[in-house]
Amino acid sequence: ARFLGGASFGPQIKRFAFVVASPFPTPPPTTASPLTMFKKPKKEEKDKKKSDKKEKKDKKLSSSGKTKGPPTDLPPPAPAPTPESRRADSLSGLSESESVAVAPVDVPEEEGIIFGSERDASGRPSIKGATLEKLVERLTHTHTDQKYIQTFMLTFRSFTTPLEFLSLLKRRFYLEQQPGQSNEEFETSLRFVRTRTTNVIKHWIQKSFFDFQEDEQLRNEILHFLNNDFLTHVEPAARQLLKLFEKQLNGETGDRERETIHGKKAPAPHLPRNLSHKSLNFRDFHPEEIARQLTLIEYSLYKLVKPWECLNQAWAKQDKEIKSPNILKMIDQFNNTSKWVTTEICKAADLRERTIVLQQMIEIAEYCKALKNFNAMMEVISGVNSASVFRLKQTWAGLPKKHLASYEEMQNLMSSDQSYKNFRAFLHSVNPPCIPYLGMYLTDLTFIEEGNQNFLQPSGAINFFKRQKLSEVIAEIQIYQNEPYNLEPVKFIQDFLLNAECLPEEQCYKMSLRREKRGGVVVSEDQQEDDEDDEPFGEMQKVEGYHFDEPDTDINIKLEKTDNLLAEASFVPIKGATIIKLVERLTYHKYQDMEYGWAFLMTYRNFSTPHDFLDLLIIRYNMPFPKNPSKQQLTKFTSSRLIPIRLRIFNVLKNWITEYAVDFREDPTLYAKLMGFIERCKEDVKHSLDKPAANLQTLAEKKVAEEPPAESLQLLGSQYSPDNPDLGKITEYDDEGMAEQLTLFDFNLFKTILPRECLATSWEDGSAVHIHYERYNFDLMKRWAATQIVMEKDIQKRYLVLSHLVKIADNLLQIRNFNCFVAIINGIMMISSGLATTLDWVPTPISEKYISFQALVKTPKNLLSKEKAEDGVMLQTIPYVEAYLRRLNQFHDTFPDFIDSASSIINFEKRKKFYEVYKECFEKHKNNPFPFRLDETFQNYLLHVPIYEEEDIKRLAKSFPLEGPPSQRPTIHDLPAATRFPRDHEEKLNTTQDQPEELPEEDSSSENGTAQPEDQTASQIKSAILTVLGEDRELAQDILNNVRSAVTTEILQDFRDYAANMKDELSLLHSQFGILKPELGWEAAERIVRRKFPGSTVDVWRCFDADGFVYGWQEEVGLFVVESQQLVLLSVRVDEAFISSALRIAGLYVTDRSISDEDSQNLQVYILTSQCSDSTRAAAVSQGIAILDF
């Protein structure tokens, strides 16, 4: 059975696993298990004992003449309200204590129907069982209530098929006249039945459209019915249903997530400092972010669970993959996450590290609880409570008290005692979004299925009471499928979680015994035995061409020297090896060195071919088995060798396909060979490798079919033409803005550089296109900087340009664009011979900066030290690319391709160095873009700017006349202010500006062109303020701090108001779904109205709608009256049907208040909502209704 758990370990916990028993000892139980899936609740026995005890006590009291309870002369108490009557009471606005019992209605017996003792909302007895025809008849009956319709539609697939159901609805649509029935009575009855039939079909299309999506015959049948018979007799309804069907078919309505309900930005994710996700491990992620990404993964699975998957225990049947695919995915997710938790804890060899991992796992469970993801919380608790972790006494002993208390609290919350009593109470106290523990519902469904027959005996009637119970569970599952989480997905963290290592329980238990021996004795890390026993598998089969697993020797592998004598060979870096040994280490059965794997995939084409590499992986997959193994040897071989190695191969293929899909896209033969191999792997159901193979197949199909992203490689000055309009001087452009736009320009080229381009022996031969473009753009930028200087004939203008370029370079250095920084300084240095006198014309701070920049560029080591992350935090960076390219060139000259010319041992040390440079220079920076926005004006300048050739620049520089220094060296205040800024920049305070700011012509001059006195005064005041602020920086900072404080206060108040709005909106939504009582919904709605109409008089009008029954009961309606003239209704979502209801309710208000026709013309109807389509708004306007947003 899919849900039948493994052995009970530690606290008696049964997990979602496939193992029924375990050879491991069981620790003494502590608390009841939260994961015991099929533990029968003892509530019935307790209730029976309590009832017997009360009965004996009552007999004793009556025999003694004493009484307990109300006097006999008082009227008998009213019967306790049923759940249906409570629901009816809540709909009429009464609390449970005020609910009035509905008078029972006598119903004559009918052939084919068995009535139960319970009664529905209208007082009629509920149906216990009936024939299929009678059930469908009752579905379109005069007195059918909503609960019956919901029960039938959720469960009818358990006793009929959608096609047969549609056939019966057709028969019902053509109701036949009964003997003795008058024509008038028949017409009334027929009209009513057809209306009910229309409602049922609408419900079917709206709520269960998947029936039609997955069954073409059913889809054709209903469309034929609606387009012919239905259209003939009830044309308006038929057209509405056809329109709804078309929308559902096109995915325009239905189960779309209501994203608009959040109304606020998702919280920023906790990203690891090192964004190179290829080498990340569990400890690099924040526990809260793991909980968030687990929640997004699980909600994406949970929301897909369909009602029919919950029927007949489909998840445990032979064809479960077909009949219950989404529940099985939830179960797999539960099992894998639990195993991952256990694996991470047991893998930690050091006691302190192991305690930290355990602590982090508990923190993840806490965050899952805070996110109301109780399914993931249970997964983590299950993994922590496995035998492998529970027995680690010393690990638990080091756990902080608050974490231990939190763990015990969560375990008590999820206890299965009394059928999850604690959890059910807690679950019903929280609001969506939420992911409940699915195992609880599957347990409920199992109890109902096993405790009730499908057909009543001896009549053979369909047991509809059983379906009613099933529908209650399914309906509760659906409640939490409609509310998505407002969290930002982080793909590489989700990929990490979905592909995390999950070792079998047996292997984890053996690792656990090596960490701490029985009795809690801790084994130090350097004394621990290998995580794998040395028990041999016996003689192995001989497979032709299989040369893996041969002993390591000097002729097939060279390892780097290490001082650690205890280090295992698999963890010692490989200096060189044969291709066989390289692939063997790539698919090592114990652990996987991800850095080694990425280095291999990047460089393997230097010493092998894609076909040879794939052939070796296929040979490795088809490894030999033991010849005549015992059962224990075969089990050990399968769990410790076969499955780990095959999973490693899948992982290598996944990384290969993900990062280097071009290998398969360009070679159809290679792709065909890969897909053929995967097809064969999908047949390995015995070792549960069919699903990983299917996932790999899906990935390969997707990646190979993807078109490579279109590249827009634009170079500096690439669109220059002599006919271009004047772009203005460089000094007109803000230096900070220009640095940012140059960075975006350069980063667009930098991020396109591919890993294998770093292996090229030449950057100009076409094998490294993107590196070639990056280097060429660097040269263009260098020449652009020099061109801006030599274009100026006047020495004063030259010093202005030079000063501006140095300021741009300074900004580039601050934002960590080292590549453009070096380019601009090199451009200035290109004409340094002509700058001897020009530097005297530059302000001293600019001159000093240039000299320090010059020294920095001439010593690349100092520049590289600046590139390193500050305090370990990854910052956006464009490194000085040329320095890294020089290192790559040195590797070609320094390291041979093979260890020695006579051997076939590949020099992998050389390949690893290429990967390290790519990772350091490109990989860790290209996925971390800068937060600047492209500005059209600046980018237009950079594309069209003129750039001279280097020879022309040097020639012009030599032609500069030799001039002496100026009589007075300029100051920084003499530099003109920029006039062009990027659009998203705020204009900075220019403390050196002496002249008043020029105002627009229409503001600064009168009709005769003279400045207005008041405008001149304003300019003078502004200039004076700027001068004061420039001289007193402390005063300017105080003003800035006060402004920030005021803005922060205002923002916080906005947040509080927003939180109140969201709380009320959710309360309104939940009351409409029946999660909260209607009274709470009315209170929330009133608060929304008062906020929307501040200071206005707001009254509440509510009325019992005697004629407004829909599904068998009457209801209370109401609206808000603002200033006696405005009628306001609220709904989270508004459609055309709600507009019709609003008009009807407004009419009831006019009638109830006896408002004359003349006065009613002055009334205005408003609808407050958060979700309304354009077509609905248009329909509302046409009816004179105004739609307002919450």
Side-chain angles (χ1 to χ4, degrees):
R2 189 71 175 221
F3 261 105
L4 198 54
S8 177
F9 297 132
Q12 297 173 357
I13 287 185
K14 294 188 177 181
R15 305 168 58 208
F16 294 173
F18 304 98
V19 183
V20 175
S22 170
F24 308 125
T26 305
T30 55
T31 62
S33 163
L35 275 174
T36 304
M37 299 300 303
F38 296 110
K39 180 179 177 183
K40 298 286 186 181
K42 299 179 180 180
K43 187 174 186 304
E44 294 84 353
E45 297 175 12
K46 292 181 177 180
D47 290 346
K48 188 175 184 305
K49 290 180 180 179
K50 190 182 294 184
S51 177
D52 293 344
K53 186 175 180 181
K54 185 176 183 304
E55 188 177 345
K56 290 180 181 179
K57 190 172 183 180
D58 289 344
K59 286 181 179 179
K60 185 177 179 181
L61 286 170
S62 61
S63 63
S64 63
K66 297 180 180 179
T67 60
K68 183 178 182 180
T72 56
D73 58 341
L74 293 180
T82 64
E84 290 80 1
S85 66
R86 288 185 186 276
R87 182 171 179 80
D89 288 340
S90 66
L91 287 168
S92 64
L94 297 175
S95 65
E96 293 183 7
S97 61
E98 299 168 327
S99 60
V100 179
V102 178
V105 178
D106 293 331
V107 177
E109 293 185 4
E110 291 185 43
E111 185 179 353
I113 296 183
I114 302 173
F115 291 104
S117 58
E118 296 183 1
R119 294 182 178 270
D120 61 21
S122 64
R124 290 173 172 78
S126 60
I127 297 176
K128 182 177 181 181
T131 62
L132 177 57
E133 290 77 8
K134 283 294 182 181
L135 289 177
V136 176
E137 179 183 317
R138 281 282 162 172
L139 197 63
T140 57
H141 195 273
T142 308
H143 300 294
T144 302
D145 67 354
Q146 176 63 20
K147 183 178 180 181
Y148 178 85
I149 294 177
Q150 177 175 296
T151 298
F152 186 97
M153 297 305 295
L154 287 176
T155 63
F156 76 84
R157 298 161 197 81
S158 67
F159 51 80
T160 186
T161 66
L163 269 174
E164 186 179 13
F165 174 40
L166 179 58
S167 176
L168 291 171
L169 282 178
K170 290 179 183 179
R171 286 169 53 187
R172 186 66 175 155
F173 187 79
Y174 287 106
L175 182 68
E176 296 181 359
Q177 189 170 358
Q178 301 299 315
Q181 188 179 25
S182 67
N183 291 337
E184 184 179 354
E185 290 175 341
F186 171 67
E187 287 297 330
T188 302
S189 179
L190 179 62
R191 185 167 58 253
F192 193 89
V193 167
R194 286 181 174 176
T195 301
R196 291 296 190 197
T197 305
T198 302
N199 289 339
V200 169
I201 294 177
K202 181 181 179 182
H203 184 284
W204 195 0
I205 295 174
Q206 281 184 326
K207 304 296 183 183
S208 305
F209 193 73
F210 46 79
D211 283 340
F212 304 102
Q213 286 177 315
E214 299 170 2
D215 190 334
E216 184 178 359
Q217 183 181 356
L218 179 66
R219 187 164 63 247
N220 294 335
E221 287 281 346
I222 194 168
L223 286 175
H224 182 272
F225 178 45
L226 294 177
N227 279 304
N228 293 279
D229 302 347
F230 220 86
L231 196 62
T232 303
H233 297 284
V234 282
E235 180 180 354
R239 295 197 182 280
Q240 288 182 4
L241 291 177
L242 285 169
K243 184 178 179 181
L244 175 62
F245 194 94
E246 183 181 1
K247 285 185 177 181
Q248 291 280 32
L249 199 60
N250 295 331
E252 297 176 14
T253 59
D255 296 332
R256 292 181 301 175
E257 291 183 0
R258 293 165 296 137
E259 299 292 348
T260 57
I261 195 169
H262 298 298
K264 63 179 180 180
K265 189 177 180 181
H270 303 287
L271 296 179
R273 292 180 174 180
N274 181 10
L275 288 177
S276 177
H277 63 273
K278 296 174 183 176
S279 58
L280 291 173
N281 58 53
F282 158 69
R283 296 287 299 280
D284 293 320
F285 301 119
H286 193 287
E288 183 176 20
E289 197 56 44
I290 291 181
R292 288 174 178 174
Q293 300 308 314
L294 273 175
T295 298
L296 290 176
I297 291 171
E298 298 201 357
Y299 180 76
S300 68
L301 299 175
Y302 180 79
K303 71 177 182 180
L304 296 177
V305 174
K306 301 293 189 294
W308 46 265
E309 298 184 56
C310 303
L311 302 174
N312 299 325
Q313 299 183 66
W315 63 89
K317 296 297 174 65
Q318 191 72 26
D319 53 354
K320 51 184 175 287
E321 285 82 6
I322 299 173
K323 290 190 174 181
S324 193
N326 298 300
I327 288 181
L328 289 185
K329 289 177 183 177
M330 286 288 290
I331 296 172
D332 287 343
Q333 171 66 17
F334 190 103
N335 290 339
N336 292 336
T337 304
S338 296
K339 290 177 182 177
W340 167 69
V341 171
T342 303
T343 301
E344 289 291 349
I345 297 172
C346 292
K347 275 170 56 177
D350 178 67
L351 174 61
R352 182 174 177 275
E353 180 186 359
R354 197 160 54 249
T355 301
I356 292 174
V357 174
L358 174 61
Q359 177 180 326
Q360 287 181 316
M361 289 301 180
I362 293 174
E363 289 174 0
I364 292 172
E366 291 172 342
Y367 282 118
C368 287
K369 180 183 177 185
L371 289 166
K372 293 173 283 190
N373 181 0
F374 302 107
N375 201 66
M377 185 178 84
M378 186 67 105
E379 291 166 357
V380 178
I381 292 175
S382 175
V384 167
N385 279 314
S386 67
S388 308
V389 178
F390 182 81
R391 62 170 302 279
L392 299 171
K393 296 181 180 179
Q394 298 304 318
T395 304
W396 284 92
L399 199 64
K401 290 183 179 180
K402 68 173 185 177
H403 286 82
L404 186 60
S406 175
Y407 158 75
E408 291 173 349
E409 180 185 346
M410 288 186 289
Q411 185 170 257
N412 181 60
L413 174 64
M414 303 306 292
S415 170
S416 63
D417 286 355
Q418 299 183 52
S419 188
Y420 298 98
K421 177 183 177 182
N422 293 343
F423 176 57
R424 290 184 199 273
F426 188 81
L427 179 63
H428 294 156
S429 70
V430 301
N431 294 326
C434 169
I435 305 177
Y437 171 42
L438 185 62
M440 178 184 71
Y441 293 126
L442 297 181
T443 303
D444 293 343
L445 293 170
T446 301
F447 288 164
I448 296 169
E449 292 282 3
E450 294 181 351
N452 299 274
Q453 296 180 340
N454 284 326
F455 300 94
L456 300 177
Q457 300 301 330
S459 64
I462 296 169
N463 187 349
F464 198 71
F465 173 79
K466 173 180 179 177
R467 273 69 185 190
Q468 193 174 17
K469 296 302 179 186
L470 290 172
S471 73
E472 290 172 359
V473 178
I474 297 171
E476 187 166 344
I477 292 175
Q478 288 182 320
I479 287 175
Y480 304 103
Q481 291 181 317
N482 299 321
E483 186 73 26
Y485 279 86
N486 186 27
L487 299 173
E488 183 175 335
V490 182
K491 187 177 183 302
F492 70 86
I493 298 181
Q494 292 188 10
D495 289 342
F496 174 86
L497 294 171
L498 291 172
N499 296 284
E501 187 172 30
C502 307
L503 298 177
E505 179 67 31
E506 295 85 351
Q507 189 171 346
C508 287
Y509 194 84
K510 291 176 182 178
M511 290 171 61
S512 175
L513 287 172
R514 289 178 174 84
R515 305 298 183 242
E516 294 182 26
K517 293 183 178 180
R518 301 186 193 279
V521 179
V522 179
V523 182
S524 61
E525 187 175 356
D526 57 351
Q527 294 178 344
Q528 290 178 19
E529 300 175 12
D530 191 355
D531 284 336
E532 178 188 326
D533 292 336
D534 294 326
E535 179 187 351
F537 307 129
E539 185 180 356
M540 304 296 291
Q541 296 173 350
K542 299 296 182 182
V543 176
E544 185 178 356
Y546 189 88
H547 301 294
F548 296 99
D549 299 327
E550 293 181 356
D552 293 346
T553 65
D554 287 339
I555 62 173
N556 60 25
I557 192 168
K558 300 282 187 181
L559 302 176
E560 292 185 9
K561 294 182 179 180
T562 176
D563 296 331
N564 185 2
L565 300 178
L566 298 175
E568 187 182 350
S570 60
F571 295 106
V572 177
I574 295 176
K575 189 175 182 180
T578 62
I579 184 65
I580 294 291
K581 281 296 177 182
L582 289 177
V583 174
E584 181 180 298
R585 282 298 188 273
L586 193 64
T587 57
Y588 192 62
H589 61 279
K590 290 185 180 178
Y591 300 108
Q592 199 167 21
D593 185 346
M594 297 302 295
E595 294 293 310
Y596 169 76
W598 290 115
F600 183 96
L601 289 173
M602 173 179 163
T603 62
Y604 81 89
R605 297 189 73 152
N606 279 167
F607 50 81
S608 184
T609 67
H611 279 277
D612 290 344
F613 177 35
L614 181 57
D615 289 339
L616 287 172
L617 290 176
I618 295 173
I619 292 171
R620 178 69 162 155
Y621 187 90
N622 297 315
M623 60 188 304
F625 279 67
K627 261 190 177 180
N628 298 300
S630 64
K631 184 178 179 180
Q632 290 77 13
Q633 286 177 324
L634 183 60
T635 301
K636 176 179 173 57
F637 170 78
T638 302
S639 63
S640 64
R641 283 285 196 280
L642 181 73
I643 293 179
I645 288 175
R646 290 185 171 180
L647 289 176
R648 294 283 184 269
I649 293 171
F650 283 165
N651 200 42
V652 170
L653 288 172
K654 179 178 78 70
N655 293 336
W656 187 7
I657 293 166
T658 302
E659 294 296 323
Y660 301 99
V662 62
D663 290 354
F664 303 95
R665 196 180 295 124
E666 294 178 348
D667 190 343
T669 307
L670 180 69
Y671 179 62
K673 183 189 292 186
L674 171 69
M675 299 306 284
F677 168 61
I678 294 175
E679 281 293 339
R680 294 191 294 275
C681 294
K682 286 169 62 179
E683 299 172 1
D684 192 358
V685 180
K686 178 181 179 182
H687 300 117
S688 301
L689 295 174
D690 52 328
K691 289 186 178 180
N695 294 337
L696 190 63
Q697 183 183 48
T698 302
L699 176 67
E701 292 171 348
K702 177 184 175 183
K703 287 293 183 181
V704 173
E706 281 180 358
E707 290 292 332
E711 295 178 347
S712 176
L713 302 179
Q714 294 180 323
L715 301 175
L716 200 67
S718 59
Q719 299 180 20
Y720 167 73
S721 169
D723 299 329
N724 288 339
D726 183 26
L727 301 172
K729 301 291 186 181
I730 181 64
T731 52
E732 297 176 19
Y733 293 84
D734 176 52
D735 54 281
E736 183 180 349
M738 182 59 73
E740 292 177 0
Q741 297 303 310
L742 281 170
T743 297
L744 293 176
F745 205 95
D746 193 32
F747 189 78
N748 192 44
L749 293 171
F750 175 78
K751 69 182 181 181
T752 63
I753 295 175
L754 302 175
R756 289 175 180 168
E757 292 186 25
C758 297
L759 305 174
T761 55
S762 170
W763 314 123
E764 313 298 333
D765 61 359
S767 58
V769 176
H770 301 94
I771 289 181
H772 168 72
Y773 277 121
E774 175 63 33
R775 297 182 77 236
Y776 185 51
N777 196 65
F778 179 90
D779 180 66
L780 288 171
M781 196 169 301
K782 178 178 70 174
R783 290 191 280 123
W784 163 74
T787 300
Q788 303 311 303
I789 299 175
V790 300
M791 285 175 65
E792 301 295 345
K793 304 301 182 184
D794 181 71
I795 188 171
Q796 252 188 330
K797 292 182 179 178
R798 278 202 300 274
Y799 94 72
L800 292 177
V801 172
L802 175 62
S803 300
H804 203 68
L805 287 171
V806 173
K807 289 168 67 178
I808 292 173
D810 188 23
N811 281 290
L812 288 168
L813 193 62
Q814 298 303 318
I815 62 178
R816 300 178 60 80
N817 182 352
F818 301 100
N819 202 51
C820 291
F821 164 77
V822 175
I824 289 178
I825 298 303
N826 280 346
I828 300 174
M829 291 167 59
M830 186 192 303
I831 54 173
S832 57
S833 59
L835 296 179
T837 56
T838 306
L839 284 179
D840 293 331
W841 291 75
V842 171
T844 301
I846 299 292
S847 176
E848 291 174 350
K849 274 187 181 295
Y850 171 68
I851 293 171
S852 66
F853 290 165
Q854 206 175 15
L856 188 62
V857 169
K858 289 180 179 179
T859 52
K861 286 185 178 180
N862 295 339
L863 192 63
L864 291 176
S865 66
K866 280 185 171 291
E867 290 181 9
K868 292 182 179 179
E870 301 175 3
D871 299 326
V873 178
M874 281 295 300
L875 301 173
Q876 291 90 354
T877 303
I878 301 180
Y880 176 34
V881 175
E882 191 64 28
Y884 291 91
L885 297 183
R886 289 174 193 153
R887 286 168 59 183
L888 293 174
N889 285 330
Q890 290 174 359
F891 296 156
H892 285 296
D893 300 334
T894 307
F895 297 92
D897 286 336
F898 295 89
I899 295 294
D900 58 71
S901 56
S903 72
S904 60
I905 297 181
I906 299 160
N907 188 347
F908 197 74
E909 182 182 14
K910 173 179 179 178
R911 275 72 187 186
K912 190 166 63 174
K913 287 186 177 295
F914 279 108
Y915 170 71
E916 288 171 352
V917 170
Y918 168 74
K919 179 184 174 183
E920 182 181 354
C921 179
F922 301 106
E923 184 185 64
K924 74 178 182 179
H925 298 307
K926 64 193 290 188
N927 295 319
N928 195 12
F930 289 81
F932 312 135
R933 291 183 181 178
L934 282 171
D935 182 83
E936 186 177 346
T937 302
F938 279 68
Q939 293 295 316
N940 184 61
Y941 169 84
L942 294 175
L943 285 172
H944 296 86
V945 68
I947 300 176
Y948 294 169
E949 295 295 332
E950 187 169 343
E951 296 78 9
D952 296 331
I953 293 171
K954 291 181 177 179
R955 178 178 52 79
L956 289 171
K958 290 180 180 178
S959 67
F960 290 163
L962 295 175
E963 300 185 31
S967 57
Q968 182 177 355
R969 192 174 191 130
T971 67
I972 201 74
H973 299 288
D974 295 324
L975 300 179
T979 59
R980 305 191 189 195
F981 297 86
R983 288 186 179 180
D984 60 339
H985 272 224
E986 295 181 0
E987 293 191 10
K988 301 177 181 178
L989 287 176
N990 190 348
T991 57
T992 62
Q993 187 175 7
D994 295 326
Q995 299 298 324
E997 184 178 79
E998 291 185 8
L999 298 175
E1001 184 175 339
E1002 62 271 20
D1003 293 332
S1004 61
S1005 62
S1006 62
E1007 294 181 0
N1008 59 8
T1010 60
Q1012 297 293 328
E1014 59 270 21
D1015 294 334
Q1016 292 179 348
T1017 302
S1019 296
Q1020 293 171 358
I1021 293 172
K1022 184 175 181 179
S1023 178
I1025 291 174
L1026 292 175
T1027 303
V1028 171
L1029 293 177
E1031 295 172 353
D1032 190 343
R1033 302 302 299 171
E1034 186 177 351
L1035 173 62
Q1037 188 62 43
D1038 287 343
I1039 293 174
L1040 185 60
N1041 290 338
N1042 288 330
V1043 171
R1044 285 174 178 165
S1045 176
V1047 170
T1048 302
T1049 303
E1050 186 175 346
I1051 291 174
L1052 287 175
Q1053 185 59 45
D1054 288 344
F1055 278 144
R1056 293 188 187 100
D1057 294 342
Y1058 177 77
N1061 287 338
M1062 285 301 301
K1063 184 178 179 181
D1064 288 338
E1065 185 177 342
L1066 288 172
S1067 298
L1068 179 63
L1069 176 68
H1070 293 161
S1071 69
Q1072 291 177 348
F1073 277 119
I1075 301 173
L1076 291 180
K1077 295 179 181 179
E1079 285 299 324
L1080 298 178
W1082 278 105
E1083 293 172 5
E1086 185 174 352
R1087 288 193 293 270
I1088 293 173
V1089 173
R1090 291 189 183 277
R1091 281 196 294 269
K1092 197 66 179 178
F1093 299 91
S1096 300
T1097 303
V1098 178
D1099 297 319
V1100 182
W1101 172 83
R1102 293 161 74 172
C1103 174
F1104 188 72
D1105 184 8
D1107 300 321
F1109 66 89
V1110 180
Y1111 288 116
W1113 65 74
Q1114 300 167 336
E1115 61 181 347
E1116 186 185 56
V1117 297
L1119 49 75
F1120 295 92
V1121 184
V1122 180
E1123 297 294 346
S1124 304
Q1125 296 293 321
Q1126 299 162 330
L1127 309 183
V1128 183
L1129 298 96
L1130 293 89
S1131 178
V1132 175
R1133 183 179 181 275
V1134 171
D1135 54 15
E1136 285 83 352
F1138 186 84
I1139 292 174
S1140 300
S1141 299
L1143 288 171
R1144 186 173 183 279
I1145 294 171
L1148 287 174
Y1149 170 77
V1150 171
T1151 303
D1152 184 65
R1153 293 295 176 91
S1154 301
I1155 300 175
S1156 65
D1157 293 342
E1158 182 180 353
D1159 291 340
S1160 66
Q1161 299 299 320
N1162 298 324
L1163 296 177
Q1164 172 65 53
V1165 180
Y1166 293 91
I1167 297 178
L1168 299 186
T1169 182
S1170 63
Q1171 188 174 355
C1172 180
S1173 65
D1174 292 339
S1175 61
T1176 302
R1177 286 182 186 273
V1181 171
S1182 67
Q1183 298 296 327
I1185 297 178
I1187 303 289
L1188 302 178
D1189 293 330
F1190 280 167

